[in-house]
Amino acid sequence: MKLGIVIEIFKNVFTKPMTVLFPFERIEIPERNRGEHEFNIDTCISCGACARICPNLAIKMIEVPSELREKYPKTYPQVDLGKCCFCALCEDICPKGSIKLTTNFYFATFDKDDTILYPVKAE
Amino acid sequence: MSSNSKNISLEEKLIKNLNSKLGVPINFQKERRLWTSIDSDKIVDICTKAYEMGFEHLSTISVTDWLEEGKHELVYHLWSYSYKLLLTIKTKIDRKNPNISSINSIWGANAETCERECHELFGVKFEGNPNLTPLFLEDWEGPPPFLKDFNWREYVKEEMYDQNNPREEVYFEVKK
Amino acid sequence: MTEINEQEIAGDFSMYFGPAHPGSGNFSIKVEMRGERVLKATADPGYLHRGFEKLMEYREPMQNAVLSDRVCVLEPLQWNLVHAEAVDYLMDYEVPERAKYIRVILAELSRIQSHFIWYAAMSLGTGFMTGFNIAIGYRDYILDVLNLITGGRVYPAGYICPGGVRKDLPEKAENKILELLPKIEYMRKFALKQNPAWLARFKEIGTLTKEEAIKFGAVGPILRGCGVESDVRRDDPYEIYDELEFDVPVMDEGDAYARFTVGMQEIEESMKIITQSIDRLPKGEVKTPNLKPIVQFQKAEGEIYIRNELSRGEGAFYMVATGQKTPYRVKIRGPSFTHMIPILEHLLTDVAYADVPAIYWSMYQCPADVDR
C-alpha cells in the first residue's frame, strides 16, 4: 500500500501535467465548437429563418448602412452576442450556409457595443 | 414479441385488479403508463388505497391551468416499485375556488413540499397542509406567476424593465 | 429531539449554511443551533429559480431542446434526452437506431462526469483539495470528448434533439471515447481508495432507512444506498437500455458512505454500457426523416410523463400539448427536489455541525434542478 504511493509519485514526476501554459500553448479546439458567428452576406437570401428560430431573440433582420444599400438592398441578420446562447440553431436552419459558428471564443471586450455583430461593416 | 404480449396480458389483469380495488375506471395509455380521472373530494381516499396497493413512490404533483374550461387540473404521478407501473391520478378543481385536501397523511414532508410548490406557482390551496410558505419566490407580491392569465410582459415592464436599455426592447414585442 | 426555546441559553442561535459557501451551490440551509449541535434545519431554495416551466410554454420544441440543457449544470445531456423523448412521443417520431445508441453513449458519458463532480464536491466539502483537483482534471478529459461531439464543453445546446441527434458522430469519435475508459477507471479506483479520513467523515453519518427513503421519495443512488433495488433504466426502460447488460449496484447501510460508494460503482456499469453500445453501434441515419427544421405541436395532442434515470436519480418531464405551436404545460421533476428539501431537513436534525457538509454533499445536490 505505502510502496504503491511511492511508485505513483515517481510516475507523476515524469508525466506531463494535465494543464497547458495558456498564452503560449493552447488546447486544440474541435471543428464543431460553437463560437463567434461568421456571416457571408453575398450568399444570404434574406429569408429570416435564423431570426425566426433563434431562441433568445438575439438575431434581428436589419438594413445595411445607406452607402451600401444599393449593393445589398434587403435585410440581413445582425447578431447580438450579449443575448446569444451559442446553440447553432441558426447554422442548422440556414438554407445557404451563410451563417456559421467558428472556433473563436475570445469575446472579452471593454465596450458593450463590440458585442453586436453587424452583417457588413460600414467604412 | 411473446414476452411483450405476455406483459400486456399481465397489465390487463392488473388493470382489472386496480379497477375493483380503487373503485374507479383505470385507462391504459402506453406500456407501463396507466391513468385515471377522479373527483377532487376522493383524492385522499384513492391515494391511500393506491399506496396500500404498492404505489409507494410519489413522483410529483403537477397543476395544469385550463383557462377556457375554468378549471385547474391536478396530476399526481405515483410509481410502484413492485408492479413497475406508473399510475397517474388526475382531478379537476374550480379555478376560482382552488381548494383540495392535502395528502400529507400518506407521504408526509414529500407531499407537503410538492404542494408548497403548487401553492406558490398556481395558488392552489391544500387544506390540512400546515406549511404553505413560499418556496422559490422571495418578496413576491404579484399573482401566482404560472397562471395562464398572468401577463408577465406587463408585470416585468412595470416592475423591473430598464427603459434606457434599447437592447432589451425586443423581449416585449409580442410574437404572433 | 430537544425543543428550541428562543434565546433561552446563550448558545442558541440560528445561521445560514450557504449560498455563498464554496461548493454549496446556489442553495442555503437555515440551521438552528445549540452550541455545536444542529437542532433543526430549514432548506431555503430559490436562488436559481429561472421559471423554465413557464418559459417553455412560450417556445417551440426545438428551442426548448436548447433550453433543457440549462435545467442542471452537471448533466445537461441527460436533460436533453428526457425532453427529446417527451417530444418524440407527442409528435410520433420514430427515432433511428443509430441515434438511440448515440443518445445512450452520450448520456452515460454525462453520468460519469457528473459522478466525478460528486466526488469533487464531497472532497471540497470535507477539505480534501487533492481529490477535488484530480476529479475535476479527469472530468476535463470527458469534456474534451463532449466538445468534439456536441460542440460545447458543458452545454451541448440541444445536441440530443427531438427526432434523433443533431449531427452524426465525427470521425474517430468512437476511438476517442474508448481511449477515455482507462482514465475513467483510474479515477474511479482513486475515488474508492480506503482513505481513513474519508471513512471517518462519511461512515455512519446521515443514515436513512429503507422505509423513510421510500416515503420521502428518494431516488437514484440515494435510494439504492438504502437497499432498494430500483433503477429506471431497468424498471422502465427507454431507448435501448433493455437490450444492454448492466448491474444495479445496491448497498444496505443507508449512510453517506454507502450512497457515495453506490455512485462510484455505477461508473463501472456506465463504462460497460458504453463499451457495449460502441460495439453494436449500427450505421445509418441519425435523424428521423420526417423531422422539419421548425418543430411545432400543430397536430400533436395529448400528454406524457417521461421518466429517465439521470445521474442523481429519476428525472421526469410532464408535457401537455393541445395543438398549439408550443407545449401547453411542462412540468419538470428534478431528482434533487426531494433530496434537498424534505430529506435534507429530516437528516439535519440533531447532528453535529461538523457533519453538515458531509451530509449535504452526500445527497448529491444540484440546486439547479430543485429551483428550475
Side-chain angles (χ1 to χ4, degrees), chain A residues 72-109:
Chain A
Y72 304 117
K74 297 178 197 159
T75 55
Y76 299 94
Q78 162 204 298
V79 185
D80 186 343
L81 291 180
K83 290 175 193 160
C84 182
C85 68
F86 300 98
C87 59
L89 283 179
C90 47
E91 183 185 323
D92 282 8
I93 204 170
C94 185
K96 295 283 168 189
S98 305
I99 197 159
K100 276 209 176 74
L101 270 69
T102 58
T103 53
N104 175 25
F105 56 87
Y106 301 103
F107 295 127
T109 173

mmCIF file of all heavy atoms in Angstrom, chain A residues 72-109:
data_model
loop_
_atom_site.group_PDB
_atom_site.id
_atom_site.type_symbol
_atom_site.label_atom_id
_atom_site.label_comp_id
_atom_site.label_asym_id
_atom_site.label_seq_id
_atom_site.Cartn_x
_atom_site.Cartn_y
_atom_site.Cartn_z
ATOM 1 N N TYR A 72 -26.643 45.848 -51.428
ATOM 2 C CA TYR A 72 -27.378 44.888 -50.593
ATOM 3 C C TYR A 72 -28.728 45.493 -50.215
ATOM 4 O O TYR A 72 -28.867 46.111 -49.173
ATOM 5 C CB TYR A 72 -26.585 44.562 -49.336
ATOM 6 C CG TYR A 72 -25.202 44.048 -49.599
ATOM 7 C CD1 TYR A 72 -24.079 44.752 -49.174
ATOM 8 C CD2 TYR A 72 -25.019 42.842 -50.273
ATOM 9 C CE1 TYR A 72 -22.815 44.276 -49.411
ATOM 10 C CE2 TYR A 72 -23.753 42.367 -50.529
ATOM 11 C CZ TYR A 72 -22.654 43.082 -50.102
ATOM 12 O OH TYR A 72 -21.411 42.617 -50.333
ATOM 13 N N PRO A 73 -29.743 45.335 -51.068
ATOM 14 C CA PRO A 73 -30.995 46.052 -50.825
ATOM 15 C C PRO A 73 -31.898 45.441 -49.754
ATOM 16 O O PRO A 73 -32.798 46.102 -49.267
ATOM 17 C CB PRO A 73 -31.672 46.000 -52.200
ATOM 18 C CG PRO A 73 -31.114 44.792 -52.857
ATOM 19 C CD PRO A 73 -29.757 44.575 -52.310
ATOM 20 N N LYS A 74 -31.667 44.198 -49.375
ATOM 21 C CA LYS A 74 -32.629 43.538 -48.473
ATOM 22 C C LYS A 74 -32.213 43.708 -47.022
ATOM 23 O O LYS A 74 -31.322 44.494 -46.705
ATOM 24 C CB LYS A 74 -32.725 42.057 -48.829
ATOM 25 C CG LYS A 74 -33.252 41.814 -50.212
ATOM 26 C CD LYS A 74 -33.259 40.332 -50.467
ATOM 27 C CE LYS A 74 -33.378 40.016 -51.935
ATOM 28 N NZ LYS A 74 -32.903 38.670 -52.186
ATOM 29 N N THR A 75 -32.852 42.926 -46.131
ATOM 30 C CA THR A 75 -32.464 42.978 -44.722
ATOM 31 C C THR A 75 -31.577 41.775 -44.416
ATOM 32 O O THR A 75 -31.749 40.700 -44.987
ATOM 33 C CB THR A 75 -33.702 42.938 -43.815
ATOM 34 O OG1 THR A 75 -34.458 41.791 -44.157
ATOM 35 C CG2 THR A 75 -34.534 44.185 -43.954
ATOM 36 N N TYR A 76 -30.661 41.972 -43.483
ATOM 37 C CA TYR A 76 -29.685 40.932 -43.168
ATOM 38 C C TYR A 76 -29.575 40.753 -41.657
ATOM 39 O O TYR A 76 -29.849 41.677 -40.898
ATOM 40 C CB TYR A 76 -28.325 41.318 -43.766
ATOM 41 C CG TYR A 76 -28.387 41.451 -45.251
ATOM 42 C CD1 TYR A 76 -28.603 42.695 -45.836
ATOM 43 C CD2 TYR A 76 -28.313 40.333 -46.068
ATOM 44 C CE1 TYR A 76 -28.713 42.812 -47.205
ATOM 45 C CE2 TYR A 76 -28.422 40.454 -47.432
ATOM 46 C CZ TYR A 76 -28.621 41.689 -48.003
ATOM 47 O OH TYR A 76 -28.752 41.788 -49.344
ATOM 48 N N PRO A 77 -29.181 39.574 -41.210
ATOM 49 C CA PRO A 77 -29.183 39.322 -39.758
ATOM 50 C C PRO A 77 -28.058 40.038 -39.020
ATOM 51 O O PRO A 77 -26.911 40.046 -39.465
ATOM 52 C CB PRO A 77 -29.017 37.801 -39.673
ATOM 53 C CG PRO A 77 -28.377 37.416 -40.944
ATOM 54 C CD PRO A 77 -28.869 38.362 -41.969
ATOM 55 N N GLN A 78 -28.452 40.625 -37.898
ATOM 56 C CA GLN A 78 -27.466 41.222 -37.003
ATOM 57 C C GLN A 78 -27.519 40.421 -35.711
ATOM 58 O O GLN A 78 -28.601 40.174 -35.165
ATOM 59 C CB GLN A 78 -27.836 42.679 -36.750
ATOM 60 C CG GLN A 78 -27.174 43.277 -35.527
ATOM 61 C CD GLN A 78 -27.971 44.437 -34.989
ATOM 62 O OE1 GLN A 78 -28.150 45.420 -35.678
ATOM 63 N NE2 GLN A 78 -28.450 44.323 -33.759
ATOM 64 N N VAL A 79 -26.382 39.926 -35.243
ATOM 65 C CA VAL A 79 -26.358 39.041 -34.074
ATOM 66 C C VAL A 79 -25.892 39.828 -32.859
ATOM 67 O O VAL A 79 -24.863 40.497 -32.894
ATOM 68 C CB VAL A 79 -25.409 37.843 -34.311
ATOM 69 C CG1 VAL A 79 -25.491 36.878 -33.148
ATOM 70 C CG2 VAL A 79 -25.735 37.142 -35.592
ATOM 71 N N ASP A 80 -26.674 39.731 -31.792
ATOM 72 C CA ASP A 80 -26.292 40.358 -30.534
ATOM 73 C C ASP A 80 -25.645 39.280 -29.667
ATOM 74 O O ASP A 80 -26.328 38.422 -29.105
ATOM 75 C CB ASP A 80 -27.540 40.927 -29.862
ATOM 76 C CG ASP A 80 -27.196 41.711 -28.618
ATOM 77 O OD1 ASP A 80 -26.074 41.533 -28.114
ATOM 78 O OD2 ASP A 80 -28.044 42.493 -28.159
ATOM 79 N N LEU A 81 -24.322 39.293 -29.581
ATOM 80 C CA LEU A 81 -23.644 38.223 -28.850
ATOM 81 C C LEU A 81 -23.929 38.281 -27.357
ATOM 82 O O LEU A 81 -23.739 37.305 -26.639
ATOM 83 C CB LEU A 81 -22.131 38.311 -29.080
ATOM 84 C CG LEU A 81 -21.675 37.965 -30.488
ATOM 85 C CD1 LEU A 81 -20.181 38.097 -30.591
ATOM 86 C CD2 LEU A 81 -22.088 36.571 -30.860
ATOM 87 N N GLY A 82 -24.394 39.439 -26.889
ATOM 88 C CA GLY A 82 -24.763 39.536 -25.468
ATOM 89 C C GLY A 82 -25.957 38.675 -25.131
ATOM 90 O O GLY A 82 -26.106 38.219 -24.001
ATOM 91 N N LYS A 83 -26.830 38.432 -26.123
ATOM 92 C CA LYS A 83 -28.011 37.609 -25.864
ATOM 93 C C LYS A 83 -27.819 36.187 -26.356
ATOM 94 O O LYS A 83 -28.532 35.286 -25.937
ATOM 95 C CB LYS A 83 -29.215 38.195 -26.599
ATOM 96 C CG LYS A 83 -29.709 39.492 -26.059
ATOM 97 C CD LYS A 83 -30.808 39.993 -26.963
ATOM 98 C CE LYS A 83 -31.120 41.440 -26.658
ATOM 99 N NZ LYS A 83 -31.792 42.059 -27.786
ATOM 100 N N CYS A 84 -26.876 35.984 -27.266
ATOM 101 C CA CYS A 84 -26.716 34.695 -27.936
ATOM 102 C C CYS A 84 -26.383 33.593 -26.926
ATOM 103 O O CYS A 84 -25.627 33.811 -25.987
ATOM 104 C CB CYS A 84 -25.597 34.803 -28.959
ATOM 105 S SG CYS A 84 -25.317 33.313 -29.889
ATOM 106 N N CYS A 85 -26.972 32.392 -27.119
ATOM 107 C CA CYS A 85 -26.635 31.270 -26.250
ATOM 108 C C CYS A 85 -25.793 30.240 -26.997
ATOM 109 O O CYS A 85 -25.564 29.156 -26.490
ATOM 110 C CB CYS A 85 -27.881 30.627 -25.666
ATOM 111 S SG CYS A 85 -28.875 29.792 -26.867
ATOM 112 N N PHE A 86 -25.338 30.557 -28.198
ATOM 113 C CA PHE A 86 -24.435 29.697 -28.975
ATOM 114 C C PHE A 86 -24.988 28.287 -29.136
ATOM 115 O O PHE A 86 -24.330 27.310 -28.833
ATOM 116 C CB PHE A 86 -23.043 29.690 -28.335
ATOM 117 C CG PHE A 86 -22.453 31.059 -28.280
ATOM 118 C CD1 PHE A 86 -22.522 31.818 -27.132
ATOM 119 C CD2 PHE A 86 -21.879 31.604 -29.396
ATOM 120 C CE1 PHE A 86 -22.019 33.104 -27.102
ATOM 121 C CE2 PHE A 86 -21.376 32.881 -29.372
ATOM 122 C CZ PHE A 86 -21.438 33.632 -28.226
ATOM 123 N N CYS A 87 -26.247 28.216 -29.598
ATOM 124 C CA CYS A 87 -26.864 26.908 -29.786
ATOM 125 C C CYS A 87 -26.674 26.414 -31.202
ATOM 126 O O CYS A 87 -26.913 25.244 -31.473
ATOM 127 C CB CYS A 87 -28.342 26.971 -29.443
ATOM 128 S SG CYS A 87 -29.232 28.154 -30.436
ATOM 129 N N ALA A 88 -26.313 27.294 -32.124
ATOM 130 C CA ALA A 88 -26.090 26.908 -33.524
ATOM 131 C C ALA A 88 -27.350 26.452 -34.235
ATOM 132 O O ALA A 88 -27.290 25.775 -35.241
ATOM 133 C CB ALA A 88 -25.003 25.848 -33.659
ATOM 134 N N LEU A 89 -28.532 26.822 -33.737
ATOM 135 C CA LEU A 89 -29.756 26.510 -34.481
ATOM 136 C C LEU A 89 -29.806 27.318 -35.774
ATOM 137 O O LEU A 89 -30.310 26.853 -36.785
ATOM 138 C CB LEU A 89 -30.995 26.822 -33.628
ATOM 139 C CG LEU A 89 -31.354 25.834 -32.536
ATOM 140 C CD1 LEU A 89 -32.589 26.300 -31.783
ATOM 141 C CD2 LEU A 89 -31.604 24.455 -33.085
ATOM 142 N N CYS A 90 -29.235 28.547 -35.736
ATOM 143 C CA CYS A 90 -29.224 29.366 -36.947
ATOM 144 C C CYS A 90 -28.357 28.723 -38.015
ATOM 145 O O CYS A 90 -28.681 28.756 -39.197
ATOM 146 C CB CYS A 90 -28.755 30.784 -36.624
ATOM 147 S SG CYS A 90 -27.278 30.891 -35.616
ATOM 148 N N GLU A 91 -27.256 28.110 -37.592
ATOM 149 C CA GLU A 91 -26.391 27.432 -38.554
ATOM 150 C C GLU A 91 -27.120 26.247 -39.185
ATOM 151 O O GLU A 91 -27.030 26.010 -40.384
ATOM 152 C CB GLU A 91 -25.122 26.955 -37.834
ATOM 153 C CG GLU A 91 -24.127 26.294 -38.759
ATOM 154 C CD GLU A 91 -22.944 25.728 -38.007
ATOM 155 O OE1 GLU A 91 -22.505 26.370 -37.030
ATOM 156 O OE2 GLU A 91 -22.481 24.650 -38.382
ATOM 157 N N ASP A 92 -27.855 25.505 -38.348
ATOM 158 C CA ASP A 92 -28.555 24.323 -38.858
ATOM 159 C C ASP A 92 -29.662 24.681 -39.829
ATOM 160 O O ASP A 92 -29.921 23.943 -40.781
ATOM 161 C CB ASP A 92 -29.169 23.542 -37.679
ATOM 162 C CG ASP A 92 -28.138 22.729 -36.956
ATOM 163 O OD1 ASP A 92 -26.949 22.896 -37.267
ATOM 164 O OD2 ASP A 92 -28.519 21.935 -36.077
ATOM 165 N N ILE A 93 -30.328 25.804 -39.568
ATOM 166 C CA ILE A 93 -31.531 26.087 -40.365
ATOM 167 C C ILE A 93 -31.204 26.857 -41.640
ATOM 168 O O ILE A 93 -31.981 26.847 -42.576
ATOM 169 C CB ILE A 93 -32.555 26.841 -39.500
ATOM 170 C CG1 ILE A 93 -33.965 26.628 -40.048
ATOM 171 C CG2 ILE A 93 -32.222 28.323 -39.411
ATOM 172 C CD1 ILE A 93 -35.030 27.129 -39.147
ATOM 173 N N CYS A 94 -30.037 27.490 -41.706
ATOM 174 C CA CYS A 94 -29.713 28.342 -42.848
ATOM 175 C C CYS A 94 -29.670 27.521 -44.140
ATOM 176 O O CYS A 94 -28.895 26.574 -44.262
ATOM 177 C CB CYS A 94 -28.386 29.051 -42.652
ATOM 178 S SG CYS A 94 -28.023 30.222 -43.969
ATOM 179 N N PRO A 95 -30.530 27.853 -45.143
ATOM 180 C CA PRO A 95 -30.582 27.019 -46.352
ATOM 181 C C PRO A 95 -29.339 27.173 -47.216
ATOM 182 O O PRO A 95 -29.034 26.308 -48.023
ATOM 183 C CB PRO A 95 -31.834 27.527 -47.074
ATOM 184 C CG PRO A 95 -32.072 28.894 -46.554
ATOM 185 C CD PRO A 95 -31.511 28.948 -45.170
ATOM 186 N N LYS A 96 -28.629 28.292 -47.096
ATOM 187 C CA LYS A 96 -27.480 28.545 -47.958
ATOM 188 C C LYS A 96 -26.146 28.392 -47.218
ATOM 189 O O LYS A 96 -25.095 28.588 -47.808
ATOM 190 C CB LYS A 96 -27.570 29.972 -48.523
ATOM 191 C CG LYS A 96 -28.743 30.185 -49.434
ATOM 192 C CD LYS A 96 -28.493 29.571 -50.799
ATOM 193 C CE LYS A 96 -29.775 29.545 -51.592
ATOM 194 N NZ LYS A 96 -29.648 28.785 -52.819
ATOM 195 N N GLY A 97 -26.184 28.118 -45.953
ATOM 196 C CA GLY A 97 -24.939 28.009 -45.188
ATOM 197 C C GLY A 97 -24.213 29.331 -45.056
ATOM 198 O O GLY A 97 -22.992 29.363 -45.003
ATOM 199 N N SER A 98 -24.954 30.427 -44.994
ATOM 200 C CA SER A 98 -24.312 31.736 -44.917
ATOM 201 C C SER A 98 -23.825 32.050 -43.514
ATOM 202 O O SER A 98 -22.909 32.834 -43.334
ATOM 203 C CB SER A 98 -25.286 32.829 -45.318
ATOM 204 O OG SER A 98 -25.801 32.562 -46.558
ATOM 205 N N ILE A 99 -24.492 31.494 -42.522
ATOM 206 C CA ILE A 99 -24.118 31.806 -41.144
ATOM 207 C C ILE A 99 -23.499 30.561 -40.532
ATOM 208 O O ILE A 99 -24.029 29.468 -40.673
ATOM 209 C CB ILE A 99 -25.334 32.370 -40.370
ATOM 210 C CG1 ILE A 99 -24.895 33.072 -39.089
ATOM 211 C CG2 ILE A 99 -26.366 31.326 -40.059
ATOM 212 C CD1 ILE A 99 -25.919 34.045 -38.570
ATOM 213 N N LYS A 100 -22.334 30.749 -39.912
ATOM 214 C CA LYS A 100 -21.594 29.611 -39.358
ATOM 215 C C LYS A 100 -21.014 30.014 -38.031
ATOM 216 O O LYS A 100 -20.659 31.167 -37.832
ATOM 217 C CB LYS A 100 -20.463 29.230 -40.304
ATOM 218 C CG LYS A 100 -20.885 28.317 -41.418
ATOM 219 C CD LYS A 100 -19.708 27.445 -41.844
ATOM 220 C CE LYS A 100 -20.140 26.444 -42.900
ATOM 221 N NZ LYS A 100 -20.350 27.030 -44.211
ATOM 222 N N LEU A 101 -20.895 29.035 -37.125
ATOM 223 C CA LEU A 101 -20.250 29.315 -35.850
ATOM 224 C C LEU A 101 -18.810 28.820 -35.921
ATOM 225 O O LEU A 101 -18.564 27.682 -36.311
ATOM 226 C CB LEU A 101 -21.013 28.648 -34.699
ATOM 227 C CG LEU A 101 -22.096 29.537 -34.094
ATOM 228 C CD1 LEU A 101 -23.214 29.737 -35.070
ATOM 229 C CD2 LEU A 101 -22.611 28.974 -32.800
ATOM 230 N N THR A 102 -17.868 29.686 -35.570
ATOM 231 C CA THR A 102 -16.451 29.361 -35.730
ATOM 232 C C THR A 102 -15.860 28.890 -34.405
ATOM 233 O O THR A 102 -16.557 28.788 -33.393
ATOM 234 C CB THR A 102 -15.680 30.600 -36.193
ATOM 235 O OG1 THR A 102 -15.874 31.622 -35.225
ATOM 236 C CG2 THR A 102 -16.166 31.067 -37.532
ATOM 237 N N THR A 103 -14.574 28.613 -34.416
ATOM 238 C CA THR A 103 -13.935 28.144 -33.188
ATOM 239 C C THR A 103 -13.438 29.289 -32.310
ATOM 240 O O THR A 103 -12.873 29.044 -31.265
ATOM 241 C CB THR A 103 -12.741 27.236 -33.526
ATOM 242 O OG1 THR A 103 -11.898 27.947 -34.418
ATOM 243 C CG2 THR A 103 -13.183 25.947 -34.158
ATOM 244 N N ASN A 104 -13.667 30.512 -32.730
ATOM 245 C CA ASN A 104 -13.194 31.646 -31.940
ATOM 246 C C ASN A 104 -14.102 31.873 -30.737
ATOM 247 O O ASN A 104 -15.303 32.074 -30.881
ATOM 248 C CB ASN A 104 -13.176 32.897 -32.820
ATOM 249 C CG ASN A 104 -12.815 34.126 -32.022
ATOM 250 O OD1 ASN A 104 -12.152 34.026 -30.989
ATOM 251 N ND2 ASN A 104 -13.248 35.278 -32.485
ATOM 252 N N PHE A 105 -13.528 31.837 -29.546
ATOM 253 C CA PHE A 105 -14.357 32.102 -28.365
ATOM 254 C C PHE A 105 -13.770 33.205 -27.485
ATOM 255 O O PHE A 105 -14.083 33.309 -26.320
ATOM 256 C CB PHE A 105 -14.576 30.822 -27.559
ATOM 257 C CG PHE A 105 -13.316 30.144 -27.136
ATOM 258 C CD1 PHE A 105 -12.688 30.491 -25.960
ATOM 259 C CD2 PHE A 105 -12.759 29.159 -27.933
ATOM 260 C CE1 PHE A 105 -11.531 29.873 -25.590
ATOM 261 C CE2 PHE A 105 -11.594 28.536 -27.556
ATOM 262 C CZ PHE A 105 -10.976 28.894 -26.380
ATOM 263 N N TYR A 106 -12.915 34.037 -28.049
ATOM 264 C CA TYR A 106 -12.340 35.133 -27.256
ATOM 265 C C TYR A 106 -13.219 36.369 -27.416
ATOM 266 O O TYR A 106 -13.096 37.115 -28.384
ATOM 267 C CB TYR A 106 -10.909 35.424 -27.717
ATOM 268 C CG TYR A 106 -10.014 34.227 -27.584
ATOM 269 C CD1 TYR A 106 -9.668 33.466 -28.687
ATOM 270 C CD2 TYR A 106 -9.538 33.851 -26.337
ATOM 271 C CE1 TYR A 106 -8.868 32.352 -28.560
ATOM 272 C CE2 TYR A 106 -8.732 32.735 -26.204
ATOM 273 C CZ TYR A 106 -8.399 31.999 -27.320
ATOM 274 O OH TYR A 106 -7.611 30.907 -27.185
ATOM 275 N N PHE A 107 -14.102 36.573 -26.470
ATOM 276 C CA PHE A 107 -15.100 37.634 -26.614
ATOM 277 C C PHE A 107 -14.878 38.801 -25.663
ATOM 278 O O PHE A 107 -15.625 39.756 -25.685
ATOM 279 C CB PHE A 107 -16.501 37.093 -26.344
ATOM 280 C CG PHE A 107 -16.960 36.086 -27.323
ATOM 281 C CD1 PHE A 107 -17.423 34.857 -26.908
ATOM 282 C CD2 PHE A 107 -16.935 36.365 -28.670
ATOM 283 C CE1 PHE A 107 -17.840 33.928 -27.817
ATOM 284 C CE2 PHE A 107 -17.356 35.433 -29.588
ATOM 285 C CZ PHE A 107 -17.809 34.210 -29.160
ATOM 286 N N ALA A 108 -13.892 38.729 -24.779
ATOM 287 C CA ALA A 108 -13.758 39.760 -23.756
ATOM 288 C C ALA A 108 -13.541 41.115 -24.413
ATOM 289 O O ALA A 108 -12.752 41.248 -25.351
ATOM 290 C CB ALA A 108 -12.601 39.431 -22.837
ATOM 291 N N THR A 109 -14.267 42.105 -23.939
ATOM 292 C CA THR A 109 -14.169 43.432 -24.539
ATOM 293 C C THR A 109 -14.416 44.490 -23.472
ATOM 294 O O THR A 109 -15.007 44.200 -22.432
ATOM 295 C CB THR A 109 -15.177 43.578 -25.691
ATOM 296 O OG1 THR A 109 -15.147 44.930 -26.130
ATOM 297 C CG2 THR A 109 -16.573 43.220 -25.270
#
